Amino acid sequence: MITNFFIPELNNHDVQELWFQQDGATCHTARATIDLLKDTFGGRLISRFGPVNWPPRSCGLTPLDYFLWGYVKSLVYAD
């Protein structure tokens, strides 16, 4: 999905300063995935094994988990 959809979509938009934030779930931090994301985002990767470490149990990131996901779902499943 990252190589077939996500990166081509990024290339279609002007997103030079985009930061990628990834949670620390083990399945999301496979070496191949992290290497691909590092190549794509350089030092603008927030992840468990990325250049900017994912802050565990951060109160500043919790609103993203609860608000943003619910908001996106409400747009996707809207009639």
Side-chain angles (χ1 to χ4, degrees), residues 3 5 7-10 15 21 26-27 30-31 36 38-40 47 54 58-59 63 67 69-71 73-74 76 79:
T3 56
F5 176 75
I7 293 174
E9 279 299 312
L10 287 177
V15 292
Q21 177 180 323
T26 306
C27 58
R31 186 181 312 259
L36 177 64
K38 283 180 182 176
D39 290 343
T40 304
S47 183
W54 172 265
S58 168
C59 0
F67 167 76
W69 181 242
Y71 177 72
K73 281 177 38 178
S74 72
V76 169
D79 291 323

Side-chain angles (χ1 to χ4, degrees), residues 10-68:
L10 287 177
N11 293 333
N12 291 334
H13 299 26
D14 184 24
V15 292
Q16 278 77 21
E17 297 300 318
L18 179 75
W19 281 73
F20 188 80
Q21 177 180 323
Q22 180 186 42
D23 65 8
T26 306
C27 58
H28 298 161
T29 56
R31 186 181 312 259
T33 303
I34 294 298
D35 290 343
L36 177 64
L37 292 173
K38 283 180 182 176
D39 290 343
T40 304
F41 294 99
R44 299 180 322 273
L45 170 63
I46 303 169
S47 183
R48 185 173 175 197
F49 299 110
V52 179
N53 199 16
W54 172 265
R57 294 178 289 286
S58 168
C59 0
L61 297 175
T62 303
L64 289 177
D65 291 339
Y66 295 103
F67 167 76
L68 186 61

